[in-house]
Amino acid sequence: MTSNAVYETMDRCIGCKACRSECPTGVDMARMKIEVLQARARAHGVAVRERLVANLPRYAPLASRFSGLANLSQTMPGSTWAAGRFGFTSNRSLPAWHRNRFGPDDASDGTGTDVVLFADTFNAYFEPDNLRAAVRVLEAAGFRVIVPRALTGRNNLCCGRTFLNAGLVDEAKSEMRRVIDALVPLIDRGAKVVGLEPSCLLTFRDELPVLLPGDSADRLAGAAFLFEEFLAHERGQGRFEVEWHSVATDRVLVHGHCHQKAHGAASSISTVLGWIPGLNVDTIDGTCCGMAGAFGYEKEHYDVSMAIGELDVLPAVRSADTSTWVVADGTSCRAQIAHGTGRDAVHVVRLLERAMDDRRLTIDD
């Protein structure tokens, strides 16, 4: 488990989990890779690059507070050399920190049925407007949005995904326990947990019950929904109705995140987009975008990352008419599409937010 041969064998597993749903034996190679990385980390330690990525949720509050300086450091002379020294490719720009981060103070102050919005690190600190759009849509649907604080340590919560990807399973468990402590009491009061980032939210239904087996983990797994899953479920139960308006396009191209597809959850994106009048929804019938979290930022994996993207996703986006909007729920998916095509993709929540307004807003609005 700790040999170079095993590590090299698993090195190009991008954790897409397609094997989980498509392989006849149902072997989850992504989970097997975590075990290999854990064994190797205990035997040989963890490289600086992997620690930087793994600990992102822990230093994110500080980095966003000094976002101007953090972002400037990426454009200063020598930044490309420094990135290369840490093992990051010079062919991509790292994500830009957002100063106006999303946090518990962005919670709803209205009335209605409580719903917990899990603010994952990537949306909270890099694309906070996605979470603010989610608050607006959920409020319009009659829900009171709770943005939970951790009960111990720093305020922000983390699903543990970044630590799992580095083989730091004990650190991931620590983060998961903080999530359980904060969320299960709210679940016990009848609230559902809604998240935007598939790789984070679906960790609650996949890895967390395995690593921390017990009643609390099972309750969290049973109450965890992706944003569009939750809306489709609640509307199917007749619990809300929103007046949707047409948007400034008649066609949308959807790329489903790999973990959404592995869990059979990607179809909910087309379901909720189908509520928008006059909107035709096309889905890219393809594989992973190739970004796979930090994989596409690693200099030894950049070429592989782009080759995977060129199989399906990137050509499909390039061939789409410029008036077609591209929807991708995954943070890394949006980054890959922007890098590989020059086109901006948006989370489905941003399109639904626009469809609540009776003005035909463009994507830039």
Side-chain angles (χ1 to χ4, degrees):
M1 289 282 280
T2 61
S3 69
N4 289 338
V6 172
Y7 177 75
E8 290 167 5
T9 300
M10 301 299 295
D11 182 48
R12 289 189 178 180
C13 168
I14 57 176
C16 68
K17 293 184 179 285
C19 52
R20 182 182 185 273
S21 58
E22 296 179 18
C23 175
T25 62
V27 174
D28 190 336
M29 293 299 295
R31 187 176 295 178
M32 189 178 295
K33 182 176 181 178
I34 291 172
E35 293 191 40
V36 170
L37 292 175
Q38 179 188 31
R40 192 171 177 86
R42 288 175 174 173
H44 304 295
V46 178
V48 173
R49 180 183 68 187
E50 279 63 41
R51 287 199 176 276
L52 283 172
V53 175
N55 283 280
L56 177 66
R58 294 182 177 172
Y59 62 76
L62 181 63
S64 68
R65 188 174 302 168
F66 299 98
S67 58
L69 182 61
N71 293 332
L72 180 63
S73 67
Q74 298 185 36
T75 61
M76 294 175 63
S79 60
T80 300
W81 175 86
R85 290 285 293 176
F86 284 117
F88 295 103
T89 179
S90 61
N91 295 314
R92 295 186 197 270
S93 297
L94 294 173
W97 296 94
H98 201 296
R99 182 170 180 79
N100 189 20
R101 60 185 178 178
F102 182 93
D105 292 340
D106 290 284
S108 169
D109 57 2
T111 59
T113 303
D114 286 346
V115 62
V116 176
L117 180 61
F118 180 75
D120 65 275
T121 300
F122 308 105
N123 281 297
Y125 294 97
F126 298 111
E127 298 181 86
D129 287 342
N130 290 341
L131 288 161
R132 295 190 175 98
V135 171
R136 186 179 176 216
V137 173
L138 290 168
E139 285 181 331
F143 297 98
R144 186 172 78 98
V145 182
I146 299 171
V147 181
R149 298 176 186 270
L151 303 184
T152 57
R154 67 188 194 282
N155 281 338
N156 63 315
L157 293 167
C158 166
C159 69
R161 170 62 59 188
T162 57
F163 293 102
L164 291 178
N165 289 346
L168 299 174
V169 175
D170 291 338
E171 299 287 354
K173 287 182 178 180
S174 176
E175 295 297 328
M176 290 173 178
R177 291 188 185 97
R178 296 173 76 246
V179 170
I180 287 175
D181 290 344
L183 299 191
V184 169
L186 300 171
I187 293 169
D188 289 343
R189 285 164 31 194
K192 302 297 185 185
V193 177
V194 177
L196 300 188
E197 176 59 35
S199 62
C200 293
L201 190 282
L202 292 173
T203 299
F204 300 154
R205 302 208 313 234
D206 194 347
E207 289 88 357
L208 187 147
V210 175
L211 293 173
L212 299 175
D215 183 61
S216 293
D218 290 342
R219 294 207 300 280
L220 174 54
F225 291 82
L226 288 169
F227 177 81
E228 59 277 2
E229 278 187 306
F230 176 74
L231 289 186
H233 177 269
E234 292 299 297
R235 184 171 180 178
Q237 298 297 313
R239 285 196 277 262
F240 84 88
E241 187 59 61
V242 172
E243 182 181 0
W244 305 101
H245 303 276
S246 61
V247 293
T249 184
D250 61 359
R251 187 164 297 279
V252 167
L253 185 64
V254 175
H255 167 63
H257 188 283
C258 293
H259 292 191
Q260 282 177 302
K261 290 183 278 195
H263 283 267
S267 62
S268 295
I269 305 174
S270 297
T271 297
V272 299
L273 289 175
W275 301 340
I276 301 175
L279 190 64
N280 298 296
V281 181
D282 293 326
T283 300
I284 298 174
D285 183 16
T287 182
C288 177
C289 72
M291 193 64 178
F295 183 88
Y297 287 109
E298 297 164 357
K299 63 180 180 181
E300 73 272 24
H301 293 140
Y302 174 78
D303 290 341
V304 175
S305 169
M306 295 306 298
I308 295 172
E310 292 294 349
L311 292 175
D312 304 289
V313 178
L314 300 182
V317 173
R318 290 193 201 101
S319 65
D321 187 272
T322 55
S323 64
T324 298
W325 288 4
V326 182
V327 168
D329 280 1
T331 299
S332 56
C333 304
R334 295 191 293 274
Q336 178 78 314
I337 289 169
H339 176 73
T341 71
R343 298 278 297 271
D344 289 329
V346 297
H347 193 285
V348 66
V349 69
R350 301 299 295 277
L351 205 50
L352 291 176
E353 179 190 32
R354 284 158 176 77
M356 292 193 313
D357 199 307
D358 59 4
R359 296 174 295 141
R360 290 176 64 81
L361 299 173
T362 68
I363 202 66
D364 294 330
D365 295 325

